Amino acid sequence: MISNIVRIPRKLLKNFRWSSTSAKPQLTETIAINSKTFKRDDYTNITDKIASLTQKNLHLIQNHPISLVRQRIVNYFYKSFLNSRRNPLFSVYDNLSPIVTLTQNFDSLLIPEDHPSRSKSDCYYINREYLLRAHTTAHQSELIKAGLDNFLIVGDVYRRDEIDSKHYPVFHQLDAVRLKTKDQLFSSESDLKLFDCDDTACIPGGPSKQRCHTLEAFKLMEHELKTTLVGLAKELFGNQVQYRWVDTTFPFTQPSWELEVYHNNEWLEILGCGIMVQSLLTNIGVDNRIGWAFGLGLERIAMCLYSIPDIRLFWSTDSGFLNQFKNDNLKTPIVYKPISQYPQCIHDISFWLPEEDSLFCSNDFYDLVRNIAGDLAEQVLLVDQFTHPKSKKKSHCYRIIYRHMERTLTNAEVNKIHQHVEHAARDQLGVTIR
């Protein structure tokens, strides 16, 4: 075993790009994403693998299951909300850049600076100013500022996460916002008001209505929101679907709820929603409207509707997968049929964490595996961890399950990939392979 390995400080490693042939670091000061160039800094943690996915736009590909769900939801809103000329009230924004500022992703939504969702272990940061959006809600304020009262936002979002059949670092969200003035809410009751007082400084996340809203305004908005979303659940899952509301908390709505439906003998959360925190609106100059909003993940619904067992399948370009979803009627029931089943290749990797173990994050290792193995990594599990009783060094053991979606992997190619993972974990994360 080589004992005189030269360690490169972890902060400097953030500025290296690894060559697939020489495995030697090459210093790069910038990173290119969607034809734009950004400076790297100590916050940069986006990988080449993730950057390569930012132009895929699965939600816009014809006959793709993600696109089918998107279109069904859009059609529901088009027919449910019409103006006096019988034209749809809601406009749709489905091609906004996933590159956003910290202000867009966090500050505009009243997310506190110490909120865990801002962590580098959760988000893909381009640098200290920009990141890949963690939710399509990041575009709410800019669209409201543009004068919009009713809109849907659809797009890809990015979160660092574990690796298994239901989690992927990129997925797709649909967000909706509806704002109403006093005259729109109380068309025949001119004496009623939207606001009880001018104090919009509520504590986000509370279970009760905001103090600034009148009870009448709150109840009407809650009724419209829940009626709309129950109708959407029935549109997607059928008129006989069982549903329930669960109280929850979000920084940008108060009160907040999750809608769950009973599907395949279990309760499944399909969306989060609530009455928009009024200070979010007043901060951008809207002081005469009250609003509701909701957001949902398209993959979760598509996996249920079409019985798709593995989230990686959405990224398949195999015609045997995509052709299954060609249909003139969006509501035609489709059950995914596996193209074929290939065996798993299972490898374990054990290592001692760096002496400063606080620098190590499991999501760093998951991203490293993704960057090297791509979608061949079906699952990564932390199967064992312990602390040495004398040295107090900490050890992790991860089980990596490799499987190709379209062919059988050979032991030779899996061994080569796994060795690359071991070497990269040692050199980039500062661990010691056991």
Side-chain angles (χ1 to χ4, degrees):
M1 180 176 178
I2 299 175
S3 59
N4 59 341
I5 296 174
V6 178
R7 299 288 186 200
I8 300 175
R10 193 161 178 260
K11 287 185 177 180
L12 292 181
L13 283 168
K14 301 248 179 222
N15 295 322
F16 288 111
R17 178 176 295 158
W18 288 83
S19 164
S20 59
T21 54
S22 64
K24 294 181 180 179
Q26 297 176 336
L27 186 63
T28 59
E29 296 182 351
T30 60
I31 182 170
I33 306 172
N34 288 1
S35 303
K36 294 183 179 180
T37 302
F38 300 88
K39 280 191 173 182
R40 293 177 181 265
D41 61 24
D42 61 324
Y43 248 61
T44 305
N45 65 358
I46 183 173
T47 65
D48 291 339
K49 168 67 175 176
I50 299 301
S52 71
L53 300 177
T54 56
Q55 292 182 310
K56 297 296 185 181
N57 291 326
L58 301 186
H59 60 291
L60 299 178
I61 297 176
Q62 187 177 13
N63 297 316
H64 194 284
I66 296 295
S67 182
L68 299 184
V69 175
R70 170 192 61 84
Q71 193 59 58
R72 289 184 67 177
I73 297 173
V74 169
N75 288 351
Y76 170 77
F77 275 85
Y78 277 175
K79 72 180 182 181
S80 299
F81 293 91
L82 302 172
N83 62 21
S84 58
R85 296 182 179 180
R86 309 299 296 171
N87 293 323
L89 273 179
F90 275 79
S91 51
V92 179
Y93 299 86
D94 54 17
N95 201 23
L96 300 173
S97 172
I99 300 169
V100 297
T101 64
L102 272 67
T103 297
Q104 289 174 289
N105 202 77
F106 302 117
D107 301 333
S108 70
L109 297 169
L110 310 179
I111 297 175
E113 290 190 4
D114 60 351
H115 197 277
S117 66
R118 291 179 180 252
S119 168
K120 285 176 64 178
S121 65
D122 280 16
C123 297
Y124 285 105
Y125 282 91
I126 299 171
N127 52 38
R128 283 185 172 270
E129 295 182 50
Y130 297 96
L131 74 160
L132 297 181
R133 63 188 170 210
H135 42 209
T136 46
T137 321
H139 301 286
Q140 268 189 17
S141 291
E142 64 193 82
L143 294 178
I144 294 172
K145 278 183 181 179
L148 300 174
D149 288 340
N150 305 278
F151 56 85
L152 303 173
I153 313 167
V154 193
D156 44 343
V157 299
Y158 299 77
R159 295 182 193 173
R160 304 182 74 197
D161 212 338
E162 56 201 273
I163 300 177
D164 59 33
S165 63
K166 295 183 179 179
H167 294 88
Y168 200 78
V170 190
F171 58 102
H172 296 77
Q173 274 190 343
L174 182 145
D175 259 74
V177 166
R178 176 156 165 78
L179 306 180
K180 302 186 81 169
T181 64
K182 171 181 176 295
D183 291 340
Q184 291 168 335
L185 194 60
F186 306 123
S187 56
S188 60
E189 300 290 342
S190 59
D191 293 337
L192 296 177
K193 300 184 297 181
L194 292 180
F195 306 111
D196 260 339
C197 62
D198 294 330
D199 183 9
T200 61
C202 67
I203 301 175
S208 60
K209 82 170 185 68
Q210 298 166 54
R211 186 171 63 176
C212 59
H213 295 155
T214 64
L215 183 60
E216 295 85 359
F218 164 70
K219 284 297 183 183
L220 284 175
M221 291 296 283
E222 178 189 13
H223 179 264
E224 182 182 81
L225 170 62
K226 289 185 173 180
T227 300
T228 298
L229 296 181
V230 168
L232 176 60
K234 291 181 177 180
E235 178 77 11
L236 295 172
F237 293 92
N239 287 328
Q240 304 306 314
V241 67
Q242 297 179 8
Y243 64 88
R244 68 184 183 187
W245 293 101
V246 179
D247 292 336
T248 188
T249 57
F250 299 114
F252 30 80
T253 54
Q254 179 185 328
S256 305
W257 304 277
E258 289 176 343
L259 177 60
E260 297 183 350
V261 299
Y262 197 66
H263 181 76
N264 286 344
N265 298 316
E266 64 177 346
W267 286 102
L268 174 75
E269 180 259 310
I270 61 168
L271 59 84
C273 65
I275 306 302
M276 296 177 70
V277 170
Q278 198 62 36
S279 57
L280 188 153
L281 296 174
T282 56
N283 287 348
I284 54 177
V286 178
D287 56 9
N288 63 343
R289 285 165 169 74
I290 185 174
W292 55 250
F294 79 87
L296 56 78
L298 296 177
E299 273 85 347
R300 175 172 294 191
I301 293 177
M303 291 177 82
C304 291
L305 293 181
Y306 308 125
S307 300
I308 297 174
D310 193 313
I311 197 169
R312 294 179 302 158
L313 283 164
F314 292 114
W315 297 87
S316 174
T317 57
D318 191 295
S319 59
F321 173 75
L322 295 176
N323 286 341
Q324 294 186 40
F325 301 94
K326 287 185 177 180
N327 205 296
D328 293 334
N329 186 348
L330 289 173
K331 295 185 179 181
T332 299
I334 299 172
V335 177
Y336 165 72
K337 297 177 181 178
I339 303 168
S340 58
Q341 292 293 329
Y342 296 98
Q344 296 176 329
C345 295
I346 300 174
H347 283 56
D348 289 353
I349 177 172
S350 299
F351 48 73
W352 297 107
L353 303 191
E355 290 185 10
E356 294 184 59
D357 55 78
S358 61
L359 294 176
F360 180 85
C361 168
S362 289
N363 279 345
D364 289 337
F365 180 67
Y366 297 151
D367 265 349
L368 181 146
V369 174
R370 279 196 191 96
N371 211 33
I372 294 171
D375 287 348
L376 297 184
E378 178 178 83
Q379 195 169 14
V380 180
L381 301 170
L382 177 59
V383 294
D384 185 45
Q385 54 185 318
F386 77 96
T387 302
H388 193 281
K390 292 185 178 179
S391 67
K392 303 303 179 184
K393 294 176 64 176
K394 295 182 180 179
S395 171
H396 280 192
C397 177
Y398 292 88
R399 178 157 297 153
I400 305 177
I401 300 173
Y402 300 93
R403 175 153 54 182
H404 201 292
M405 302 300 294
E406 297 157 7
R407 64 177 177 84
T408 299
L409 291 170
T410 66
N411 286 330
E413 60 185 322
V414 173
N415 288 340
K416 186 175 181 180
I417 294 169
H418 195 72
Q419 287 174 5
H420 193 175
V421 169
E422 288 182 337
H423 295 159
R426 180 196 65 194
D427 295 337
Q428 297 183 43
L429 302 182
V431 304
T432 302
I433 305 297
R434 296 181 60 200

